[in-house]
Amino acid sequence: MVTDVATSVMPQVETTAQASSKVSARQKKQIAKINASLSKKQKAAKKWIAYRESRYSYTASNGSCYGRYQLLKAYLHGNYSPVNQEKMANKYVAGRYGSWTKAKKFWQSHHWY
């Protein structure tokens, strides 16, 4: 019997058509505005988490989690747009950890946030 070690150890991340994988120029501007108040260090921690959660994909799906930051689908309230994912990720992290750097530190210890 042959076992694929990569799929048995790491959860599969699937992409779906629920949100466009392309980010428009308008969305990029909105996202920049959403993240404007974050320091360079906070932005770096947010990017670090996005890479580990979805390899930066706004359409990554894993069970009941979705998007770039793998938030619960219910938390996104049916709006899977990149702009809403950015806004809700900031809200989630601020409420749970206080900052992206603290969320990163937690992720490094637990491999989730």
Side-chain angles (χ1 to χ4, degrees), residues 24-52:
S24 70
R26 181 173 183 246
Q27 288 174 318
K28 286 179 184 178
K29 285 182 183 180
Q30 291 173 313
I31 290 168
K33 190 174 181 180
I34 289 166
N35 292 322
S37 64
L38 297 176
S39 70
K40 189 174 181 179
K41 192 172 183 178
Q42 295 304 312
K43 287 177 185 176
K46 185 175 184 180
K47 185 176 179 180
W48 186 93
I49 289 175
Y51 178 78
R52 277 140 189 91

Side-chain angles (χ1 to χ4, degrees), residues 24-85:
S24 70
R26 181 173 183 246
Q27 288 174 318
K28 286 179 184 178
K29 285 182 183 180
Q30 291 173 313
I31 290 168
K33 190 174 181 180
I34 289 166
N35 292 322
S37 64
L38 297 176
S39 70
K40 189 174 181 179
K41 192 172 183 178
Q42 295 304 312
K43 287 177 185 176
K46 185 175 184 180
K47 185 176 179 180
W48 186 93
I49 289 175
Y51 178 78
R52 277 140 189 91
E53 290 294 319
S54 68
R55 301 301 191 251
Y56 307 122
S57 172
Y58 284 111
T59 58
S61 183
N62 186 5
S64 60
C65 297
Y66 188 82
R68 189 173 210 170
Y69 305 98
Q70 290 296 286
L71 298 171
L72 290 173
K73 291 176 184 177
Y75 198 77
L76 295 169
H77 304 290
N79 181 349
Y80 301 118
S81 72
V83 172
N84 192 52
Q85 288 182 45

